[in-house]
PDB file of all heavy atoms in Angstrom:
ATOM      1  N   ALA A   5     119.301  69.003 138.609  1.00  0.00           N
ATOM      2  CA  ALA A   5     119.959  68.125 139.599  1.00  0.00           C
ATOM      3  C   ALA A   5     121.330  68.531 139.767  1.00  0.00           C
ATOM      4  O   ALA A   5     122.077  68.919 138.690  1.00  0.00           O
ATOM      5  CB  ALA A   5     119.842  66.745 139.129  1.00  0.00           C
ATOM      6  N   ALA A   7     125.325  68.031 140.021  1.00  0.00           N
ATOM      7  CA  ALA A   7     126.208  67.039 139.455  1.00  0.00           C
ATOM      8  C   ALA A   7     127.321  66.680 140.532  1.00  0.00           C
ATOM      9  O   ALA A   7     127.639  67.567 141.289  1.00  0.00           O
ATOM     10  CB  ALA A   7     126.846  67.644 138.164  1.00  0.00           C
ATOM     11  N   GLN A  15     129.455  73.552 148.870  1.00  0.00           N
ATOM     12  CA  GLN A  15     130.021  73.919 150.155  1.00  0.00           C
ATOM     13  C   GLN A  15     130.573  75.415 150.077  1.00  0.00           C
ATOM     14  O   GLN A  15     130.350  76.090 151.120  1.00  0.00           O
ATOM     15  CB  GLN A  15     131.235  73.046 150.433  1.00  0.00           C
ATOM     16  CG  GLN A  15     130.954  71.645 150.694  1.00  0.00           C
ATOM     17  CD  GLN A  15     132.104  70.806 150.934  1.00  0.00           C
ATOM     18  OE1 GLN A  15     133.065  70.864 150.097  1.00  0.00           O
ATOM     19  NE2 GLN A  15     132.082  69.910 151.952  1.00  0.00           N
ATOM     20  N   ASP A  16     131.058  75.841 149.049  1.00  0.00           N
ATOM     21  CA  ASP A  16     131.453  77.276 148.849  1.00  0.00           C
ATOM     22  C   ASP A  16     130.241  78.207 149.014  1.00  0.00           C
ATOM     23  O   ASP A  16     130.316  79.308 149.646  1.00  0.00           O
ATOM     24  CB  ASP A  16     132.143  77.538 147.526  1.00  0.00           C
ATOM     25  CG  ASP A  16     133.584  76.779 147.440  1.00  0.00           C
ATOM     26  OD1 ASP A  16     134.022  76.376 148.490  1.00  0.00           O
ATOM     27  OD2 ASP A  16     134.099  76.622 146.267  1.00  0.00           O
ATOM     28  N   GLY A  51     118.766  61.757 144.396  1.00  0.00           N
ATOM     29  CA  GLY A  51     118.022  62.720 143.581  1.00  0.00           C
ATOM     30  C   GLY A  51     117.313  63.760 144.435  1.00  0.00           C
ATOM     31  O   GLY A  51     116.167  64.210 144.079  1.00  0.00           O
ATOM     32  N   ALA A  56     120.441  75.933 141.391  1.00  0.00           N
ATOM     33  CA  ALA A  56     119.933  76.952 140.466  1.00  0.00           C
ATOM     34  C   ALA A  56     121.253  77.373 139.904  1.00  0.00           C
ATOM     35  O   ALA A  56     122.176  77.598 140.526  1.00  0.00           O
ATOM     36  CB  ALA A  56     119.266  78.143 141.314  1.00  0.00           C
ATOM     37  N   VAL A  57     121.266  77.497 138.541  1.00  0.00           N
ATOM     38  CA  VAL A  57     122.457  77.851 137.802  1.00  0.00           C
ATOM     39  C   VAL A  57     122.331  79.124 137.067  1.00  0.00           C
ATOM     40  O   VAL A  57     121.196  79.570 136.656  1.00  0.00           O
ATOM     41  CB  VAL A  57     122.887  76.762 136.806  1.00  0.00           C
ATOM     42  CG1 VAL A  57     123.168  75.509 137.626  1.00  0.00           C
ATOM     43  CG2 VAL A  57     121.792  76.452 135.758  1.00  0.00           C
ATOM     44  N   GLY A  65     123.063  78.735 143.803  1.00  0.00           N
ATOM     45  CA  GLY A  65     122.208  78.279 144.874  1.00  0.00           C
ATOM     46  C   GLY A  65     121.795  76.892 144.912  1.00  0.00           C
ATOM     47  O   GLY A  65     121.997  76.192 143.800  1.00  0.00           O
ATOM     48  N   LEU A  68     118.669  71.023 149.449  1.00  0.00           N
ATOM     49  CA  LEU A  68     118.588  69.528 149.758  1.00  0.00           C
ATOM     50  C   LEU A  68     117.411  69.353 150.370  1.00  0.00           C
ATOM     51  O   LEU A  68     116.916  70.126 151.233  1.00  0.00           O
ATOM     52  CB  LEU A  68     119.823  69.359 150.693  1.00  0.00           C
ATOM     53  CG  LEU A  68     121.249  69.696 150.253  1.00  0.00           C
ATOM     54  CD1 LEU A  68     122.160  69.488 151.388  1.00  0.00           C
ATOM     55  CD2 LEU A  68     121.650  69.045 149.061  1.00  0.00           C
ATOM     56  N   VAL A  81     118.648  75.159 152.213  1.00  0.00           N
ATOM     57  CA  VAL A  81     118.595  75.960 150.927  1.00  0.00           C
ATOM     58  C   VAL A  81     119.567  77.118 151.094  1.00  0.00           C
ATOM     59  O   VAL A  81     119.444  77.784 152.166  1.00  0.00           O
ATOM     60  CB  VAL A  81     117.155  76.410 150.678  1.00  0.00           C
ATOM     61  CG1 VAL A  81     116.528  77.287 151.729  1.00  0.00           C
ATOM     62  CG2 VAL A  81     117.121  77.115 149.251  1.00  0.00           C
ATOM     63  N   ASP A  86     126.144  86.856 145.973  1.00  0.00           N
ATOM     64  CA  ASP A  86     126.268  87.500 144.682  1.00  0.00           C
ATOM     65  C   ASP A  86     124.957  87.316 143.881  1.00  0.00           C
ATOM     66  O   ASP A  86     124.706  88.063 142.891  1.00  0.00           O
ATOM     67  CB  ASP A  86     127.461  87.068 143.805  1.00  0.00           C
ATOM     68  CG  ASP A  86     128.776  87.426 144.400  1.00  0.00           C
ATOM     69  OD1 ASP A  86     128.843  88.339 145.325  1.00  0.00           O
ATOM     70  OD2 ASP A  86     129.752  86.814 143.967  1.00  0.00           O
ATOM     71  N   GLY A  93     116.148  81.448 145.743  1.00  0.00           N
ATOM     72  CA  GLY A  93     115.652  80.724 146.903  1.00  0.00           C
ATOM     73  C   GLY A  93     114.168  80.362 146.547  1.00  0.00           C
ATOM     74  O   GLY A  93     113.825  79.149 146.748  1.00  0.00           O
ATOM     75  N   GLU A 106     104.358  65.881 142.612  1.00  0.00           N
ATOM     76  CA  GLU A 106     104.464  64.595 141.681  1.00  0.00           C
ATOM     77  C   GLU A 106     104.653  63.339 142.566  1.00  0.00           C
ATOM     78  O   GLU A 106     104.131  62.289 142.092  1.00  0.00           O
ATOM     79  CB  GLU A 106     105.674  64.742 140.792  1.00  0.00           C
ATOM     80  CG  GLU A 106     105.423  65.840 139.747  1.00  0.00           C
ATOM     81  CD  GLU A 106     106.735  66.060 138.888  1.00  0.00           C
ATOM     82  OE1 GLU A 106     107.658  65.193 138.998  1.00  0.00           O
ATOM     83  OE2 GLU A 106     106.802  66.934 138.059  1.00  0.00           O
ATOM     84  N   LEU A 109     103.322  64.074 148.084  1.00  0.00           N
ATOM     85  CA  LEU A 109     103.645  64.427 149.384  1.00  0.00           C
ATOM     86  C   LEU A 109     102.622  65.672 149.718  1.00  0.00           C
ATOM     87  O   LEU A 109     102.334  66.468 148.852  1.00  0.00           O
ATOM     88  CB  LEU A 109     105.035  64.950 149.452  1.00  0.00           C
ATOM     89  CG  LEU A 109     106.099  63.757 149.221  1.00  0.00           C
ATOM     90  CD1 LEU A 109     107.502  64.323 149.288  1.00  0.00           C
ATOM     91  CD2 LEU A 109     105.929  62.731 150.266  1.00  0.00           C
ATOM     92  N   ALA A 110     102.338  65.801 151.002  1.00  0.00           N
ATOM     93  CA  ALA A 110     101.223  66.647 151.405  1.00  0.00           C
ATOM     94  C   ALA A 110     101.768  68.197 151.600  1.00  0.00           C
ATOM     95  O   ALA A 110     100.989  69.113 151.367  1.00  0.00           O
ATOM     96  CB  ALA A 110     100.650  66.291 152.678  1.00  0.00           C
ATOM     97  N   ALA A 111     103.043  68.302 151.863  1.00  0.00           N
ATOM     98  CA  ALA A 111     103.575  69.597 152.311  1.00  0.00           C
ATOM     99  C   ALA A 111     105.024  69.681 152.133  1.00  0.00           C
ATOM    100  O   ALA A 111     105.593  68.700 151.854  1.00  0.00           O
ATOM    101  CB  ALA A 111     103.155  69.862 153.802  1.00  0.00           C
ATOM    102  N   PHE A 117     115.629  79.755 161.742  1.00  0.00           N
ATOM    103  CA  PHE A 117     115.643  80.760 162.839  1.00  0.00           C
ATOM    104  C   PHE A 117     114.446  81.636 162.688  1.00  0.00           C
ATOM    105  O   PHE A 117     114.063  82.201 161.634  1.00  0.00           O
ATOM    106  CB  PHE A 117     116.976  81.665 162.711  1.00  0.00           C
ATOM    107  CG  PHE A 117     118.276  80.824 162.971  1.00  0.00           C
ATOM    108  CD1 PHE A 117     119.125  80.553 161.776  1.00  0.00           C
ATOM    109  CD2 PHE A 117     118.491  80.363 164.159  1.00  0.00           C
ATOM    110  CE1 PHE A 117     120.148  79.806 162.023  1.00  0.00           C
ATOM    111  CE2 PHE A 117     119.636  79.572 164.375  1.00  0.00           C
ATOM    112  CZ  PHE A 117     120.454  79.246 163.294  1.00  0.00           C
ATOM    113  N   GLU A 119     113.926  84.705 164.061  1.00  0.00           N
ATOM    114  CA  GLU A 119     113.994  86.172 164.093  1.00  0.00           C
ATOM    115  C   GLU A 119     115.065  86.708 162.971  1.00  0.00           C
ATOM    116  O   GLU A 119     115.137  87.989 162.929  1.00  0.00           O
ATOM    117  CB  GLU A 119     114.409  86.608 165.425  1.00  0.00           C
ATOM    118  CG  GLU A 119     113.335  86.319 166.488  1.00  0.00           C
ATOM    119  CD  GLU A 119     113.921  86.453 167.923  1.00  0.00           C
ATOM    120  OE1 GLU A 119     115.027  86.911 168.156  1.00  0.00           O
ATOM    121  OE2 GLU A 119     113.056  86.292 168.726  1.00  0.00           O
ATOM    122  N   ARG A 129     106.396  84.700 153.982  1.00  0.00           N
ATOM    123  CA  ARG A 129     106.012  85.427 152.669  1.00  0.00           C
ATOM    124  C   ARG A 129     105.822  84.461 151.603  1.00  0.00           C
ATOM    125  O   ARG A 129     105.159  84.649 150.670  1.00  0.00           O
ATOM    126  CB  ARG A 129     107.089  86.477 152.396  1.00  0.00           C
ATOM    127  CG  ARG A 129     107.038  87.681 153.247  1.00  0.00           C
ATOM    128  CD  ARG A 129     107.868  88.910 152.676  1.00  0.00           C
ATOM    129  NE  ARG A 129     109.196  88.585 152.420  1.00  0.00           N
ATOM    130  CZ  ARG A 129     110.321  88.618 153.282  1.00  0.00           C
ATOM    131  NH1 ARG A 129     109.969  88.942 154.547  1.00  0.00           N
ATOM    132  NH2 ARG A 129     111.507  88.395 152.935  1.00  0.00           N
ATOM    133  N   PHE A 132     104.652  79.716 154.066  1.00  0.00           N
ATOM    134  CA  PHE A 132     104.776  78.734 155.213  1.00  0.00           C
ATOM    135  C   PHE A 132     104.229  79.312 156.445  1.00  0.00           C
ATOM    136  O   PHE A 132     104.176  80.456 156.612  1.00  0.00           O
ATOM    137  CB  PHE A 132     106.411  78.526 155.445  1.00  0.00           C
ATOM    138  CG  PHE A 132     107.068  77.661 154.428  1.00  0.00           C
ATOM    139  CD1 PHE A 132     107.493  78.302 153.192  1.00  0.00           C
ATOM    140  CD2 PHE A 132     107.261  76.347 154.632  1.00  0.00           C
ATOM    141  CE1 PHE A 132     108.164  77.453 152.270  1.00  0.00           C
ATOM    142  CE2 PHE A 132     107.923  75.589 153.640  1.00  0.00           C
ATOM    143  CZ  PHE A 132     108.278  76.115 152.457  1.00  0.00           C
ATOM    144  N   ARG A 175      93.611  66.659 138.704  1.00  0.00           N
ATOM    145  CA  ARG A 175      93.341  65.396 138.074  1.00  0.00           C
ATOM    146  C   ARG A 175      92.633  65.513 136.706  1.00  0.00           C
ATOM    147  O   ARG A 175      91.587  66.152 136.714  1.00  0.00           O
ATOM    148  CB  ARG A 175      92.458  64.403 138.967  1.00  0.00           C
ATOM    149  CG  ARG A 175      93.331  64.106 140.303  1.00  0.00           C
ATOM    150  CD  ARG A 175      92.708  62.999 141.100  1.00  0.00           C
ATOM    151  NE  ARG A 175      92.679  61.860 140.213  1.00  0.00           N
ATOM    152  CZ  ARG A 175      92.165  60.707 140.604  1.00  0.00           C
ATOM    153  NH1 ARG A 175      91.484  60.728 141.749  1.00  0.00           N
ATOM    154  NH2 ARG A 175      92.349  59.663 139.826  1.00  0.00           N
TER     155      ARG A 175
END
Side-chain angles (χ1 to χ4, degrees):
Q15 291 178 315
D16 293 344
V57 295
L68 307 174
V81 60
D86 292 345
E106 289 176 11
L109 299 175
F117 293 110
E119 299 167 359
R129 289 192 303 276
F132 286 82
R175 296 190 65 187

